[in-house]
Amino acid sequence: MDGSYWAGKQTDGSRPVADMRVPGMMGHMRYLLIALPLLLASTVSPVASLRVDGERSTFSVVVEERASTGYNIRIACVSTCAQPIDFSEPIGDVPMGLFSRNQDDLVFSLWSGGSAYRVRVWQVSDAGVRKVAELSSRGRPDFLTDSTGRSAIRTYEADSGVEPFKPVLRSFIKGRFVVEP
């Protein structure tokens, strides 16, 4: 024996085409050759990522580029999970920002969708993930706090391309963003 082994089983002494001669390796190489391409195919570099701490759980929020859908946002519990949480949503717009303000368990995201900005907001907690807003804005939206200390989003709307933008303030009240009268 010359110190090299065949990666894979040899039952009849022949050399299978898919196997390769690896110096100093035994049958473990076969598993590596199968697993490595699968691992690399499923690994996508994130476009944006964020770690969010809940009441007890810790969450990973990741935006990934997908050939079939454009982008995908995935929110998963990664530590001290009260229950298994792995939320995923395909999004056809282009990501511009992802952040949390550590208030009301909210994760904010900003996207470019052609002639408008898109704001998407999820509430992430030990109980689960829930989308609480999907808004459009003709001008770049503002993320702020209203006069009572609640999370708020100011979007800019217009009926046509010639009218000035009208600011619309929405505050987070009772689990959703609403325009106050």
Side-chain angles (χ1 to χ4, degrees), residues 123-174:
Q123 191 166 37
V124 179
S125 69
D126 293 338
V129 177
R130 184 174 68 92
K131 187 187 275 186
V132 295
E134 185 163 351
L135 311 168
S136 292
S137 181
R138 297 295 299 255
R140 189 170 179 109
D142 301 314
F143 300 91
L144 29 98
T145 304
D146 69 10
S147 60
T148 63
R150 297 179 292 222
S151 294
I153 302 169
R154 181 181 296 125
T155 57
Y156 298 89
E157 299 176 357
D159 291 331
S160 69
V162 296
E163 295 181 25
F165 295 153
K166 174 185 155 193
V168 177
L169 182 67
R170 292 174 177 87
S171 297
F172 190 68
I173 301 172
K174 296 182 180 176

